[in-house]
Amino acid sequence: ELQSVRTYMERFERGLIEDYLIDRANAFVAAAAKTSFEAAAENLDTELKKSASFPINYGNANYFGTVQGADDSSDLSGSAYDTTFFRTLFSLDESEVSQPIVLDRSVGVFKLAERTTLEDEDIEYLGAYFPSLAQQNILQDVNADIMQSDQFEDNFAAVFAEIFLGQ
């Protein structure tokens, strides 16, 4: 019975749930401004989670670190496709606390733990190989989406012969 209520609420009252979570997150931000991020979490009985470092990687491209929550959880699901998420997080100063960000099924408040940079050899590797890897992915996508389509008809050889060989 409780599961039925939960399912109904998640399906038909998502905005109400989201508003509640945003209000709680705003209370957290206000408390963190008065004390500290950690003290606010403790006082409001909120669990803190720490993610691994990740770059601005819109869409979670394979060649860069992906956006993942703590312990590879789905806490940050959907954030890899959210420009507000990236703009907010990558604009934070060392001690700054973000405003609430609506994620896929949650609302998050963030604080920068540390800034990391790529090693020079990693940057060189990406600079050297990324263009060819990106082109390879585009060709694979074209092949999968167009060339393999039931609606695709390959007339290249006949048209080439007609135009350039006069046949």
Side-chain angles (χ1 to χ4, degrees):
E1 184 169 293
L2 185 57
Q3 183 59 37
S4 298
V5 172
R6 181 183 188 96
T7 301
Y8 174 86
M9 291 290 293
E10 288 175 348
R11 183 174 293 151
F12 299 108
E13 300 295 341
R14 185 174 175 135
L16 187 65
I17 294 170
E18 197 172 279
D19 288 345
Y20 169 77
L21 293 174
I22 290 170
D23 287 345
R24 283 208 43 178
N26 281 324
F28 179 90
V29 170
K34 291 178 184 173
T35 57
S36 71
F37 197 75
E38 295 75 12
E42 187 175 321
N43 291 340
L44 296 172
D45 195 28
T46 301
E47 181 183 3
L48 289 181
K49 295 183 179 183
K50 185 175 182 180
S51 74
S53 295
F54 55 86
I56 297 174
N57 183 5
Y58 188 85
N60 271 343
N62 295 331
Y63 313 113
F64 306 110
T66 58
V67 178
Q68 294 179 337
D71 303 322
D72 297 334
S73 70
S74 63
D75 294 338
L76 299 178
S77 66
S79 60
Y81 299 91
D82 187 343
T83 55
T84 301
F85 172 81
F86 285 116
R87 280 190 186 120
T88 301
L89 266 61
F90 283 84
S91 298
L92 288 175
D93 290 327
E94 292 289 330
S95 61
E96 188 178 6
V97 175
S98 76
Q99 291 300 309
I101 301 173
V102 177
L103 302 170
D104 187 34
R105 296 177 54 108
S106 62
V107 174
V109 174
F110 299 88
K111 180 182 175 196
L112 177 65
E114 65 179 334
R115 290 191 191 280
T116 58
T117 57
L118 281 177
E119 299 294 327
D120 287 342
E121 63 264 8
D122 292 333
I123 293 171
E124 289 172 15
Y125 172 81
L126 285 174
Y129 293 105
F130 185 74
S132 63
L133 293 172
Q135 185 177 19
Q136 181 181 358
N137 272 0
I138 290 168
L139 290 173
Q140 287 174 345
D141 290 346
V142 166
N143 187 44
D145 295 341
I146 296 173
M147 304 296 276
Q148 301 301 318
S149 171
D150 294 340
Q151 298 173 350
F152 177 72
E153 185 176 336
D154 186 359
N155 294 322
F156 179 81
V159 172
F160 182 85
E162 181 182 327
I163 293 174
F164 294 104
L165 303 176
Q167 298 176 354

